[in-house]
């Protein structure tokens, strides 16, 4: 199950910027909808105690695509703005930890 999920997550992550800019704002809500649909599908496949069969792989592919769509535009914003909004050596992890101060 890991390989199809990882490949889908990677492919979606590499291609989401190729979508038109007017549609990129809709990727986050669409991603959450895909995660919900995939989770419901996963629940239906496993509710009788079976192994899920090939549908299990499809459910995980849908979930992983939704997770990537939901996170890709959101993760891009902090990296783009971090250098401009935070002065050097003023970030959360710039000071030594209390345990190493002795």
């Amino acid at each position: 199950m890991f390989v199809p999920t990882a490949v889908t997550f990677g492919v979606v992550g590499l291609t989401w910027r190729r979508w038109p800019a007017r549609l990129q704002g809709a990727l986050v809500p669409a991603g959450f909808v895909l995660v919900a649909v995939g989770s419901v599908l996963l629940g239906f496949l496993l509710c009788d105690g079976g192994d899920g069969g090939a549908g299990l792989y499809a459910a995980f592919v849908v979930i992983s695509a939704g997770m990537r769509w939901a996170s890709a535009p959101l993760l891009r914003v902090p990296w783009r703005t971090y250098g401009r909004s935070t002065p050097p050596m003023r970030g959360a992890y710039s000071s030594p930890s209390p345990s190493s101060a002795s």
Side-chain angles (χ1 to χ4, degrees):
M1 272 182 276
F2 175 75
V3 173
T5 303
V7 168
T8 302
F9 194 85
V11 168
V12 171
L14 292 172
T15 59
W16 72 270
R17 288 187 187 195
R18 294 182 184 168
W19 287 53
R22 60 181 163 67
L23 295 178
Q24 286 183 7
L27 288 181
V28 174
F32 286 122
V33 168
L34 275 179
V35 170
V37 168
S39 298
V40 169
L41 177 63
L42 188 64
F44 281 130
L45 289 170
L46 299 176
C47 70
D48 62 353
D51 63 357
L56 190 66
Y57 292 101
F60 276 110
V61 164
V62 170
I63 291 171
S64 66
M67 284 182 175
R68 189 59 177 159
W69 273 0
S71 66
L74 294 176
L75 291 176
R76 193 174 122 228
V77 173
W79 290 110
R80 184 179 54 194
T81 60
Y82 181 76
R84 289 181 276 154
S85 63
T86 306
M89 299 303 291
R90 300 245 192 262
Y93 299 108
S94 63
S95 61
S97 64
S99 62
S100 65
S102 57

